[in-house]
Amino acid sequence: MGRCAIAHQHGASRTNRDHAWIQAGHDGHTVQGCQTMIMGGLGCRLEASPEAMIDVVRLAIERWGLPHGFAVPAFRQNHAAVQAVAQLFKLPVTVVDLLSLASAQPRCLTHSERARMTMGFGSIAEGCALAVLGPHSQLLGARLAGDGVTCAFAMIKAGSLSP
């Protein structure tokens, strides 16, 4: 059995997404639809180390299982810690636009006053995990934090996607 993925249908934008659920078999061909999609949201301070991010992601995977990919805000997409996680776990990273991140904030479980003051958002990791999956997604739990890094996992069931 292969891994599930969200495929963005032709013409979809980051703020108005039409998702098609696919599941790739071991030969890469599309097979039956997916039941649940899990994505990890990542957040970090500018000085955060790749090792700290890898450690917190490993803890999240132990708790919630391997996600289908990771989501980060545009201002952290090229951070060494994000790139290290993507390379180690061989998973894609989706960039979340700021409007989507802002829209997800009310559904977040934890809020950092420091992050809100410095970045404009009180919850980066949780917000990214929720934003990438859309308005019907839900967090699997509160974000995990390490040395200057955060990680949160969210999920959505295939039937919950809006057309």
Side-chain angles (χ1 to χ4, degrees):
M1 197 57 92
R3 294 187 49 77
C4 299
I6 294 179
H8 298 288
Q9 295 177 350
H10 180 70
S13 70
R14 290 197 187 279
T15 56
N16 181 16
R17 295 182 179 161
D18 295 319
H19 296 101
W21 285 73
I22 60 170
Q23 184 171 358
H26 63 16
D27 60 359
H29 290 90
T30 301
V31 293
Q32 70 185 37
C34 214
Q35 295 303 310
T36 301
M37 180 77 168
I38 298 174
M39 291 293 285
L42 305 176
C44 62
R45 294 182 185 161
L46 192 56
E47 69 276 7
S49 72
E51 296 79 18
M53 184 66 84
I54 289 168
D55 288 347
V56 80
V57 169
R58 281 189 171 135
L59 288 174
I61 290 171
E62 286 175 17
R63 183 170 293 177
W64 297 303
L66 189 68
H68 297 93
F70 296 101
V72 298
F75 55 82
R76 289 291 185 258
Q77 68 181 334
N78 295 316
H79 194 285
V82 171
Q83 298 303 312
V85 165
Q87 290 173 355
L88 179 66
F89 295 103
K90 297 181 181 12
L91 293 171
V93 175
T94 302
V95 175
V96 174
D97 65 89
L98 299 181
L99 180 59
S100 297
L101 182 56
S103 296
Q105 293 300 297
R107 297 187 296 130
C108 295
L109 299 175
T110 59
H111 299 275
S112 163
E113 186 61 22
R114 181 176 193 260
R116 191 185 68 72
M117 295 298 291
T118 59
M119 305 311 298
F121 301 99
S123 186
I124 305 294
E126 290 179 5
C128 284
L130 290 166
V132 74
L133 292 175
H136 301 293
S137 61
Q138 61 186 33
L139 290 167
L140 296 179
R143 60 129 169 98
L144 302 180
D147 187 18
V149 298
T150 57
C151 178
F153 282 17
M155 63 152 295
I156 190 167
K157 295 189 183 295
S160 299
L161 286 170
S162 52

